[in-house]
Every structure is written in C-alpha cells, then in structure tokens.
Amino acid sequence: MLGTHSSWRLLAALLPGLALLLGALTVPAEAATGPTLALTGPATAKRGSTVSLRATLTSASGAPLEGQPVRLETADGTTVATADTVADGTVVLRATLAATTAFHAVRDAVGDGSGDGAAATSSEVTVRAFDARTTLGLTGPASGYVDTFRTLTTTLTRQDTSAGVADEQVRLERRVDGVWRLAQSATTTADGTATYSVKVLPGDNTFRTVYPGRSDRPDGTDNLLGARSAEVTLSALKRATTLSLTGPGRIVDETSVLLRLTWKAGNGTAVPGRVVVLRRLVGGDWARYDSVALGSDGAASLRVRPRVDSRWRAVGSEGRWWKADTSEVHVLDNVPPGSPVVYPAAAPRPAIRIAPNARATGAGANPTVGRLPDAMWRTMVGRTWHSGCPVGRSQLRVVRVNYWGYDGYRYRGEIVLRDSVADRGATMFASMYRQRLPIFRMFRVDRFGWSSTLHGGNDYRSMRAGNTSGFNCRGVTGNPSVTSPHSYGRSIDLNTWENPYRSQQGLVPNSWWQYHSHPRIAWRSRSHPVVRTMAAHGFRWTYGLGDTQHFDG
C-alpha cells in the first residue's frame, strides 16, 4: 500500500489526463436542425370574401428562405392555396372564406429532408366568418342622484341593413377602480334594444356594453361580428338639503326651552347622522355648543338654558348622498322673570356704571349669614376696616342674599353687618325679595376703594354707583370728623342713587331724586313698602328726608 505522500503525487499526475477525458465526453446542447414556418392572418372576415394570410419561412439560423413552395391547408388537410416565398422568406396565401375556418401552412421536405430541407408546418390560425358587422350604442341620462336608480339603453344593429338585432345577449360593464367588471346582462328585444337599471354611486359611474358576436349556428342564422359601445358616464349628484333650527323667540331667565332641529332633502327624504349646534352669546363669538344625533325622521330636539340673549344655528356636513347645509340664525332673547323698574323719563341714571352682581343661586331669596372668609377680610383691611375701628372681624358677618334687580333679573348680593343685626338683615332682604322690591347693586364697599377724606371705604363712589351697603368704618359723608353709624355695622344704605343724603355740603349723590319718589325704589314717607318692610324687621328710617337711604338696626 502506498504511503500518504506517494498517493498525493500519483493523483496529481493523473488529474490533467482525467480532465481531458471528461472534456471529450461532454455532449453539446442540441441546436435547431430544421426550418421554422409561421402563419398570420385576420381574426375575422366577411363570409364569401377572400382572406389573405402571410406565411414566413426561416432557416434554423433565422435566415429567410427564398423560393420555397408553401401551401395553405384547412384543418382537414384540403389545400386551398400554394405559392413560393420571396426574398424575405414570406409568401401571401389567399383563400375564399365560406365559413369559420382553421388554416395552417405547410412546406414539404426538400432534397434528403435534412437541415433546412426538412418539412415544416405552422400553427393554426382561425379566421371567423361573419355575415354582418354590428354597431352597439349606449344611451342614458347625464346624471343621477346618489343611491337612486337610472335606466341605460343599449341598441344592437346590423351595419349592412341598420336593422335592430333581436334575442342577443349584451353585457353591461361598469368600470370599478379602473377595471371593467360585469354588472348585468340583458337580451335585446325585437328592435334590438335592451335596458339596464343601474344604481348611481358616489363614484365609479362609467358604463359600456359589450356584444360578443354570433358564431356559426345549426339553424343557419347569420354570423354577426361583436361590438362594443362607447363609454357613458353618469355624474353623481348630491341632493340639496334644508337644515332648520326653530324654537321660541324668548326664554324667561333661569328656565329652559326646546329647540327643534329638522334636516330634509329637497325630495322630503330625512337626512341621517348628526348636526353641530353653534351658539353665540351676546357680546361673544360663535362657539360649538353640542352635537345632536337626528332620528330616522331627520329631526331632534335640544333643550337649552341660556342666561343671556343668544343666537343659535345648526351646521350639517356633506354626506354620501346629501349636500351640506347651515340653518338660519335663530334669535333667542332672554327676558327677566320679574318686572323691570320703569324709570321716569327725566330721571338721571347712576353716575358710575358697574356691572351687576352675579346671577342668583338657589330658589327664592336663599339668604345666608356667615363669618368673614380670609380672602374677604384681606380686601376689607385698609379700606372699610382699619386700626381703631369700634368693631372687629369677629363681630362682623357677611349676609348673602338673592335680590330682584332693576332689570327684572335675579342677582345675588352681599353686605357686611354687625352680628347682632345680621340675621334680621337677612330676613329683611328676604322679605323684600318676596315682595319683589328691587335693589340696584349690592357690593361690599371695599370694592370702591379707600377714601382719604372719609378715612374709610369710598362712600361717595358707592352712592354714585347706586350701591346698597352696610359696614364701613369711616367718617360721616360731608362731616368726616364725626364717626359714621356704619362704623358699627348696624346701618344699611339702600338704593343710594335714588334716595339722596343731605350733607353739610348739599345733596349727594344727586339732587333730582330728592324731590321725586317711586313706588318701588324711592321713598319719601314712612308709608312706602320699603320703609315699612325695614321697620317690620327692626330697621328704622332714622333721618327721614334728611338721609332717605339710611336705616339703622
């Protein structure tokens, strides 16, 4: 046995010879060895006409073969034409078409039949015989409303006689996403027409009709060539709609009303879905208020409770078959639950205009009496209370109560009183509320700032604003060296603009009202309902016509 190194040397010596041997044994790929014959011709031709078919003969290498006899045969082997190829290897073979026929071309073997002399036969070419061409038309409306049905009419006629072709199946195709798809089939009537009912969609409303033609039949009827109509496109229409928002034109403050929404198409069909309701409060901008779902009848109701004059409208978006619409603006005036004060025509209005108190909370007067919160006390210190005042925080109470404003609306005011009279004051204001005796404003006097003249809250500004006030540690208006009764928290100045005070310097805050009374807001005698109400709760009209606004508890 050879050693390892000897074996490798022997194998290396044998490899070149082995490679030569394997190369000699390699079999080359088989090359084309004969000619190729191809046949082309028309797909259809009129029955009885002469059809021309072209045969092309090429060598195994692809070179044209000239001068070669080629014959045209039918499927049963009948020769119908013979001719020689020309320089480019082609030959035109003609035959009369009696019926639909399958043809093929044949070149017989030449010489010993080897190489390019081998026989060649083409593939079959079928020429369909027809007796008449047809024309296919398609008509229909230019448009239609989405989700409604429209009628398309197709007409199949012979070109040779212009007569309609009856009893033929014609396909209606619809183009969907760029692809033609079968939609319906119908049979033509005696006049060659057929109709289709098609649904109008938001898109894809292009149609055509296709007639495949009529082939040889046992009954001997004419062969008809197929046809395809021109395309017809229906424009998809969306229905115009009317969105309405209706309701009462007035709402009593602190109540609610129903707004009615209705959305219908021009044909009376209810529009489904939701609408957005917008609201505009007096002095503000339009803002979204709510989204409301409509019922199957296209209607819905929305209960609203605006506290001021408001404007309303509804917006409906475009949908599958309907157009968008926006309702007319509905005006809803907020009216007071009470009777507004009727001012005398010549009467002056408060000289300082401030916004009213916040609207009332709770039912009725809803009076409360409580200790002074920290935040309230901080605003009072340095204005209506300061060091040296006869009463302190622990002896004061804040009375909060609903009252009827001059405009007939309910507001919630607050006044600071001494603890010994606070409950009676709350009860008194509740009685005024029940009698609907109005109050113009009711803010704490610290709102009006510090008066260096009075060395306390600015009573001058408070009166000029028509404000009803209580505790205010200050000097007497017009005589500031004297401590005002208001410093003790047991006095109330009520409706100060219409009920002046006669100071040492004259009438304040105006002189006109001193000589005029009013059954609801200005009193000049003890018989006035306000004076009687105050007295009934322990508040006397101390100074009468000298200080008509002032009451002491």
Side-chain angles (χ1 to χ4, degrees):
M1 188 170 185
L2 294 175
T4 302
H5 293 292
S6 299
S7 299
W8 280 112
R9 283 196 297 271
L10 177 61
L11 180 62
L14 292 175
L15 281 176
L18 180 62
L20 290 174
L21 179 61
L22 290 174
L25 294 176
T26 300
V27 178
E30 183 175 354
T33 58
T36 299
L37 185 58
L39 182 66
T40 59
T44 60
K46 187 172 177 60
R47 191 193 303 271
S49 67
T50 298
V51 294
S52 298
L53 295 96
R54 180 181 296 274
T56 302
L57 183 64
T58 56
S59 67
S61 63
L65 297 177
E66 180 183 4
Q68 299 296 311
V70 177
R71 66 179 182 274
L72 183 67
E73 293 182 352
T74 59
D76 61 359
T78 301
T79 299
V80 294
T82 302
D84 292 345
T85 58
V86 295
D88 62 356
T90 65
V91 60
V92 176
L93 302 167
R94 295 178 174 85
T96 299
L97 190 67
T100 297
T101 304
F103 297 97
H104 60 266
V106 178
R107 201 287 301 264
D108 292 330
V110 178
D112 62 1
S114 64
D116 289 335
T121 302
S122 73
S123 299
E124 283 191 346
V125 171
T126 299
V127 181
R128 181 182 169 196
F130 66 88
D131 295 288
R133 295 180 182 274
T134 58
T135 300
L136 196 58
L138 181 64
T139 58
S143 61
Y145 288 110
V146 174
D147 288 345
T148 63
F149 288 87
R150 305 292 277 167
T151 299
L152 301 180
T153 300
T154 192
T155 303
L156 180 64
T157 56
R158 294 175 61 121
Q159 287 189 1
D160 55 353
T161 63
S162 299
V165 181
D167 299 324
E168 294 295 317
Q169 285 285 318
V170 179
R171 302 194 309 268
L172 176 72
E173 296 180 343
R174 184 177 209 144
R175 191 166 59 201
V176 180
D177 296 330
V179 178
W180 288 104
R181 301 182 185 279
L182 175 65
Q184 299 175 38
S185 291
T187 302
T188 56
T189 59
D191 61 355
T193 62
T195 58
Y196 312 88
S197 180
V198 298
K199 187 176 184 178
V200 181
L201 303 177
D204 294 327
N205 293 304
T206 298
F207 300 89
R208 71 180 184 187
T209 48
V210 177
Y211 172 57
R214 188 166 68 195
S215 301
D216 295 308
R217 294 182 178 177
D219 61 5
T221 54
D222 286 347
N223 288 351
L224 298 179
L225 195 61
R228 186 174 64 199
S229 74
E231 297 175 6
V232 169
T233 299
L234 279 66
S235 296
L237 304 178
K238 295 191 175 185
R239 292 191 183 275
T241 61
T242 300
L243 177 57
S244 64
L245 187 155
T246 58
R250 293 167 30 124
I251 178 174
V252 176
D253 190 49
E254 299 185 78
T255 65
S256 64
V257 296
L258 279 178
L259 299 180
R260 177 77 174 172
L261 297 160
T262 304
W263 200 7
K264 294 290 182 68
N267 65 347
T269 302
V271 179
R274 306 184 73 90
V275 297
V276 174
V277 177
L278 304 178
R279 180 183 71 173
R280 182 182 183 183
L281 300 179
V282 61
D285 296 323
W286 286 104
R288 180 189 176 103
Y289 179 79
D290 201 356
S291 175
V292 181
L294 302 177
S296 59
D297 58 351
S301 295
L302 176 65
R303 185 168 292 279
V304 298
R305 190 186 178 93
R307 299 298 303 276
V308 295
D309 292 345
S310 55
R311 304 291 182 268
W312 302 81
R313 70 182 179 196
V315 178
S317 300
E318 182 179 79
R320 175 182 171 85
W321 57 263
W322 63 88
K323 293 182 179 179
D325 194 36
T326 300
S327 72
E328 296 290 331
V329 174
H330 179 72
V331 178
L332 184 55
D333 289 336
N334 181 285
V335 297
S339 300
V341 171
V342 179
Y343 241 50
R349 304 282 175 162
I352 295 178
R353 296 186 178 182
I354 61 173
N357 290 93
R359 291 292 179 86
T361 59
N366 189 24
T368 64
V369 177
R371 294 183 178 273
L372 308 186
D374 291 343
M376 181 184 295
W377 181 247
R378 284 194 295 270
T379 64
M380 291 172 60
V381 172
R383 293 183 177 89
T384 55
W385 187 91
H386 51 82
S387 179
C389 289
V391 294
R393 177 180 180 181
S394 64
Q395 298 166 287
L396 297 173
R397 298 291 184 268
V398 58
V399 176
R400 294 185 174 97
V401 65
N402 296 336
Y403 68 89
W404 294 100
Y406 283 16
D407 56 6
Y409 288 95
R410 297 190 328 130
Y411 297 97
R412 189 158 186 82
E414 62 181 21
I415 187 171
V416 175
L417 297 174
R418 181 71 177 267
D419 54 1
S420 59
V421 300
D423 287 337
R424 285 191 287 125
T427 304
M428 178 275 299
F429 283 121
S431 179
M432 286 187 64
Y433 177 91
R434 289 191 296 272
Q435 297 176 72
R436 301 206 172 200
L437 296 172
I439 295 173
F440 187 66
R441 299 286 188 268
M442 190 189 293
F443 290 102
R444 301 190 319 273
V445 185
D446 53 88
R447 175 191 177 100
F448 300 93
W450 168 262
S451 170
S452 58
T453 302
L454 298 174
H455 197 67
N458 197 330
D459 189 52
Y460 293 105
R461 289 183 58 82
S462 179
M463 286 190 293
R464 287 167 63 82
N467 186 53
T468 291
S469 63
F471 170 75
N472 184 5
C473 185
R474 60 173 172 82
V476 172
T477 302
N479 188 13
S481 62
V482 177
T483 300
S484 168
H486 288 274
S487 301
Y488 300 91
R490 291 192 295 265
S491 301
I492 296 174
D493 285 346
L494 184 62
N495 289 349
T496 53
W497 179 257
E498 295 82 13
N499 298 280
Y501 158 61
R502 190 181 298 275
S503 72
Q504 290 183 355
Q505 287 77 35
L507 292 166
V508 289
N510 70 83
S511 60
W512 188 93
W513 274 104
Q514 180 69 19
Y515 308 105
H516 300 82
S517 63
H518 190 284
R520 300 177 70 194
I521 62 172
W523 40 92
R524 301 298 175 262
S525 74
R526 298 185 187 280
S527 63
H528 193 281
V530 170
V531 179
R532 292 204 313 267
T533 300
M534 296 292 278
H537 293 85
F539 289 88
R540 64 186 180 277
W541 193 35
T542 308
Y543 305 106
L545 297 179
D547 192 353
T548 57
Q549 63 191 247
H550 187 91
F551 296 87
D552 287 312

